[in-house]
Amino acid sequence: MTLSEIAAGIEVTTEQRDRGAAVVDDTGIDLHDRLRSHASSLPCTAAAAATLIETYTAGASVGDAAREAAVAPMTAAKTLHRCGVSGVCPLAPTRRGIVRDWLAGQIGRRDAIDLTGGDEAAFALAVYIETHDPIADLADAVTRVDDHTLGVDTLGGSLETPDELR
């Protein structure tokens, strides 16, 4: 049997969903203005944050969005989190609980890293996410077109490898 015989009748039945950003703007201030007003609270410049949000919500991975904005992927993930984008934490909720236990001083750092999967970069990002809330004004401005929140499995494909976070 040839490859063309195996592939006969195969068709694509679903399409990729657009994760575009919608700007909720009751005050007449656009996303770029809001980013500029909170620039001191972001891990990168307001211009880079705008590029990250636009690129990521258009369907790019965190790594691709970071390259487009000329920032490190770790900085990109931190910025997206601060802007209210869900799903950038590389750890499942139960593993995030381990991070919270470490932050509370209930377990040692090495044990916490081992229990979360032994990856320093993922642990560092999870610690940042647990210790820095999204900025409410930015989270209000940046909404997802669909209500689908990225899960850990989907995120794994967008980060490619944890080494990209370094």
Side-chain angles (χ1 to χ4, degrees), residues 62 66 71-79 120-122 124-125 128 164-166:
V62 173
V71 297
M74 178 67 85
T75 302
K78 289 177 179 180
T79 303
E120 296 268 352
L125 179 55
Y128 183 87
E164 282 193 0
L165 296 174
R166 293 190 175 95

Side-chain angles (χ1 to χ4, degrees), residues 12-61:
V12 176
T13 59
T14 60
E15 295 180 19
Q16 183 173 350
R17 296 176 83 181
D18 182 14
R19 297 183 301 181
V23 177
V24 177
D25 196 357
D26 296 334
T27 63
I29 299 172
D30 71 6
L31 178 61
H32 297 284
D33 289 338
R34 289 187 188 197
L35 288 167
R36 278 191 291 278
S37 69
H38 293 283
S40 63
S41 300
L42 295 172
C44 65
T45 65
T51 300
L52 284 169
I53 291 166
E54 291 165 358
T55 305
Y56 181 76
T57 57
S61 68

